Amino acid sequence: MSVEAQVQPLWKPGRTLLEQSNLKKYMDWLFVKKGLYFRSYHDLWEWSVTDLEDFWESLWNYFNIKSHDLYLEVLQRPISGLIGTRWFTRSKLNYAEHIFRNKTKDRPALVFQSERSEMTEISWETLELQVAAVSTWLKQRGVKPGDRVAAVLPNIPEAVVAFLAANAVGAVWSSCSPDFGKPAITERFSQIEPKVLFTVDGYVYNGRTYDITSFAAELSASLPTVKDTVLLNNIFSETRPDRFTAWDDILHFEHFGIDFEPVPFDHPIWILYSSGTTAKPKAITHSVGGCLIEHMKALMLHQNVKPGDRYFWYSTTGWMMWNYALGSLLCGATLVLYDGAPAYPSSQVLWTMIEKARITHFGSGAAFFIASMKSGVSITSERLGHLETIGSTGSPLPPEAFEWIYKQVKKDVWLISLSGGTDVCSAFVGGCPLLPVYAGEIQCRMLGARIEAFDEDGRPVLDELGEMVITQPMPSMPIYFWNDDHDEKYLSSYFEMYPHVWRHGDWIKITDRKSVIIYGRSDATLNRGGVRIGTAEIYRAVESIPDVKDSLAVYLEKSNGEGTISLFVVLAKDKELTDELKGQIRDTLRTQYSPRHVPDTIEQVSDIPYTINGKKMEAPMKRILMGQDPAKCINIDTMRNPESLKAFI
């Protein structure tokens, strides 16, 4: 008997969930409509990743997805590999249209709270009127299907309105959080050549007000394709550069309701960005239909989101979880938004909001729960009567955090640890309302996601540590990377290690009971509170300082779920790493990019390890610094400067 089999679960689904969950209703529907009977979730999963066409077509029918044209084929595979897979060919649909199928007078569409404002509700009627006005304005300004609409907005209702308006007209959405620095935002938006830019005059975080009006003007001027810049007065009532359009003026634009533009299934819905580990952040482009069907599957079946629920995930507009949370509106839920720091004015703020907003599903990055556990927040479970699920993602949630949630937060809550990424704007592994929860483990591989753990020889292993791979296509995989001729960046990002198999960059173990344990990243991507950060951005900023010749950044996970970013620097001749220089490095990273880019430690070394062909050896150094045998991490013969290893070993 394995160790996992002897461990007692922290939670088991009750009879009501077992019998009335969305997933159980879907399984009953499969039996009635298709004669398919599955004894367990794992049998259902096996069918979903083996008979792909029948599975995804069943979801299309079960969710009653509206297409303006009949689809020709459910699945059209390329000659080889996963790139180029096409789904529901010839169908035409609209993501925003499916959201507004749920409009009702019985409950609000959005609930919003920020550091500066009390909780407010936005009705479906108000949301519809605002989206109609903004989408009509976009059309009048010449925005057509496929044009890009970019936004530098906080997590506020206007960001949801702007997205829905852009999506309604068939435009491609892309957003960044305003706490990103100008170089970071410019690097992202300059690649996609937006036609319209939405921005704010400022934002508040951790009690401090940030005026970005001049920055917004500079950003607009640096993007030559931008024809219109819309300024939302988030902080100051009057400030507006002359050539900007006022958000409030657009809201009064004459309209005749929302005219939803049907687009092909594989039409781009939004552009998200990779962390920029080796170069500029890659512009990952997802499809309208892929995200529509995937979000319905993930949120309805794996998180049991139902009409009338209230769904919250702490995020910024620069993290894919913001896009993912929008999917709760597809389920008939009310989306709860919060703009501000998660621990200001105290570490209680979000926990208090659960009760006040009557949140049903509460989610955040694992770092938030670890911080709450360590700060000793006071939570009275009796006041969390509406709370059904707690979601955690971004980095592995340690077993002690699982146990803390059940001891100190709510003993009968369903804790859903999930993991996926910007790459699919969803999760690969996550929750299941039919399975128990074990400390430190993710309940299951999600339906339609053929996840395996591969050993060094590319063979699937069970109950052993391996590389996380995906061996079958999913509809929400990127349709392409923007401006990526011949899919070169796409291929190098996921398919270099195993031909035609997606390697995700996580170390995982699939247990005997088919749960999943994630041990951290197997690649060089940095992680700050669940937000992935590219080393290339750090290098560009740090190495712009005259005293710094070279640098290497690594993220080191700890067993308790925390982690640190360590920066190693090579300095100019006769220079020493003083406190003043450390301060300059931190200030440069904070100013040019964001506070998340600032390392926890900075150390001076004589040289940075490189391969013969000139690549910094980030991943091998990470493994060495985490205690692995250097002989198993690195081949000296592939190094340009093997003597540089001394400082790391």
Side-chain angles (χ1 to χ4, degrees), residues 44-114:
L44 174 66
W45 176 84
E46 189 66 44
W47 169 73
S48 77
V49 296
T50 304
D51 199 339
L52 294 184
E53 291 189 49
D54 274 5
F55 168 66
W56 289 105
E57 187 175 39
S58 77
L59 291 187
W60 179 283
N61 294 324
Y62 183 71
F63 295 139
N64 191 26
I65 289 176
K66 178 183 178 181
S67 175
H68 294 259
D69 278 323
L70 295 175
Y71 59 83
L72 196 63
E73 293 178 276
V74 174
L75 174 60
Q76 193 179 85
R77 290 178 179 267
I79 295 173
S80 62
L82 306 185
I83 297 177
T85 302
R86 296 188 64 208
W87 299 87
F88 297 97
T89 58
R90 209 172 68 180
S91 64
K92 288 190 174 181
L93 33 68
N94 187 284
Y95 190 98
E97 183 178 19
H98 283 78
I99 283 177
F100 278 100
R101 291 198 302 188
N102 296 300
K103 67 179 180 180
T104 176
K105 293 182 179 179
D106 297 336
R107 53 185 174 270
L110 307 174
V111 173
F112 172 64
Q113 182 180 322
S114 74

Side-chain angles (χ1 to χ4, degrees), residues 14 17 37 91 97 122 126 203 222 278 299 330 332 334 337 349 374 404 409 411 419 511 525 556 566 569 590 602 645:
L17 196 59
Y37 172 70
S91 64
E97 183 178 19
I122 294 91
T126 298
Y203 65 98
S222 70
T278 56
L299 288 153
L330 296 168
T334 293
L337 307 171
V349 62
K374 292 198 167 186
W404 173 79
V409 180
K411 65 180 179 181
S419 180
T511 70
T525 306
L556 304 177
S566 296
V569 293
R590 188 180 292 108
I602 305 175
L645 286 175

Side-chain angles (χ1 to χ4, degrees), residues 105-152:
K105 293 182 179 179
D106 297 336
R107 53 185 174 270
L110 307 174
V111 173
F112 172 64
Q113 182 180 322
S114 74
E115 287 187 19
R116 300 170 60 240
S117 62
E118 291 297 313
M119 189 172 293
T120 56
E121 294 185 351
I122 294 91
S123 68
W124 276 99
E125 181 183 17
T126 298
L127 181 66
E128 187 173 30
L129 288 171
Q130 293 189 0
V131 171
V134 178
S135 62
T136 303
W137 178 84
L138 286 170
K139 275 191 172 182
Q140 192 272 338
R141 298 303 298 160
V143 175
K144 303 182 298 297
D147 287 343
R148 275 75 65 207
V149 172
V152 184

Side-chain angles (χ1 to χ4, degrees), residues 56 59 63 65 95 99 163 269-270 272 286-305 311 320-331 421-422 424-427 446 474-476:
W56 289 105
L59 291 187
F63 295 139
I65 289 176
Y95 190 98
I99 283 177
F163 161 72
I269 182 172
W270 48 51
L272 306 178
H286 294 108
S287 70
V288 171
C291 288
L292 174 66
I293 198 168
E294 171 62 31
H295 287 175
M296 286 178 145
K297 180 209 77 178
L299 288 153
M300 289 191 199
L301 302 186
H302 289 278
Q303 288 189 257
N304 204 42
V305 181
Y311 189 91
M320 53 78 47
M321 288 307 297
W322 184 84
N323 307 68
Y324 179 84
L326 289 169
S328 64
L329 295 169
L330 296 168
C331 310
T422 301
V424 290
C425 198
S426 185
M446 288 173 63
M474 294 172 61
S476 66

Side-chain angles (χ1 to χ4, degrees), residues 487-503:
D487 293 317
E488 292 176 2
K489 294 176 184 176
Y490 198 162
L491 286 163
S492 66
S493 295
Y494 310 113
F495 299 100
E496 281 192 337
M497 181 172 284
Y498 307 109
H500 308 316
V501 172
W502 175 304
R503 176 223 177 202

Side-chain angles (χ1 to χ4, degrees), residues 248-508:
D248 288 344
D249 291 346
I250 295 177
L251 293 186
H252 295 104
F253 208 77
E254 185 179 4
H255 63 84
F256 300 97
I258 308 173
D259 183 17
F260 298 105
E261 180 72 32
V263 294
F265 188 96
D266 57 1
H267 183 84
I269 182 172
W270 48 51
I271 298 169
L272 306 178
Y273 299 93
S274 72
S275 49
T277 301
T278 56
K280 284 184 178 181
K282 301 179 185 75
I284 301 173
T285 311
H286 294 108
S287 70
V288 171
C291 288
L292 174 66
I293 198 168
E294 171 62 31
H295 287 175
M296 286 178 145
K297 180 209 77 178
L299 288 153
M300 289 191 199
L301 302 186
H302 289 278
Q303 288 189 257
N304 204 42
V305 181
K306 296 181 176 181
D309 285 353
R310 293 195 170 194
Y311 189 91
F312 170 83
W313 205 287
Y314 180 76
S315 181
T316 72
T317 58
W319 187 21
M320 53 78 47
M321 288 307 297
W322 184 84
N323 307 68
Y324 179 84
L326 289 169
S328 64
L329 295 169
L330 296 168
C331 310
T334 293
L335 175 60
V336 183
L337 307 171
Y338 182 78
D339 177 37
Y344 181 88
S346 76
S347 54
Q348 299 283 146
V349 62
L350 295 185
W351 296 107
T352 303
M353 192 177 73
I354 295 176
E355 177 190 10
K356 191 175 179 182
R358 303 194 304 279
I359 291 171
T360 320
H361 306 275
F362 176 86
S364 187
F368 168 78
F369 298 109
I370 295 168
S372 293
M373 176 177 68
K374 292 198 167 186
S375 66
V377 295
S378 176
I379 303 165
T380 306
S381 61
E382 290 77 15
R383 299 170 66 181
L384 305 179
H386 295 275
L387 187 65
E388 296 177 5
T389 74
I390 288 178
S392 173
T393 193
S395 56
L397 189 68
E400 53 265 38
F402 274 74
E403 292 164 357
W404 173 79
I405 285 171
Y406 281 101
K407 289 178 182 176
Q408 301 297 328
V409 180
K410 194 174 183 181
K411 65 180 179 181
D412 61 346
V413 75
W414 171 21
L415 175 56
I416 302 172
S417 179
L418 53 94
S419 180
T422 301
D423 324 81
V424 290
C425 198
S426 185
F428 295 115
V429 293
C432 176
L434 310 180
L435 297 174
V437 171
Y438 292 88
E441 299 181 16
I442 296 173
Q443 287 176 286
C444 67
R445 293 173 282 185
M446 288 173 63
L447 297 175
R450 182 104 213 181
I451 304 300
E452 305 284 359
F454 269 19
D455 64 13
E456 294 177 356
D457 298 319
R459 296 174 301 193
V461 293
L462 190 65
D463 215 25
E464 291 181 25
L465 194 65
E467 284 277 358
M468 176 176 163
V469 299
I470 301 93
T471 62
Q472 292 285 5
M474 294 172 61
S476 66
M477 284 178 171
I479 40 177
Y480 44 73
F481 289 5
W482 203 266
N483 293 331
D484 181 22
D485 295 336
H486 310 298
D487 293 317
E488 292 176 2
K489 294 176 184 176
Y490 198 162
L491 286 163
S492 66
S493 295
Y494 310 113
F495 299 100
E496 281 192 337
M497 181 172 284
Y498 307 109
H500 308 316
V501 172
W502 175 304
R503 176 223 177 202
H504 194 61
D506 282 330
W507 277 313
I508 69 167

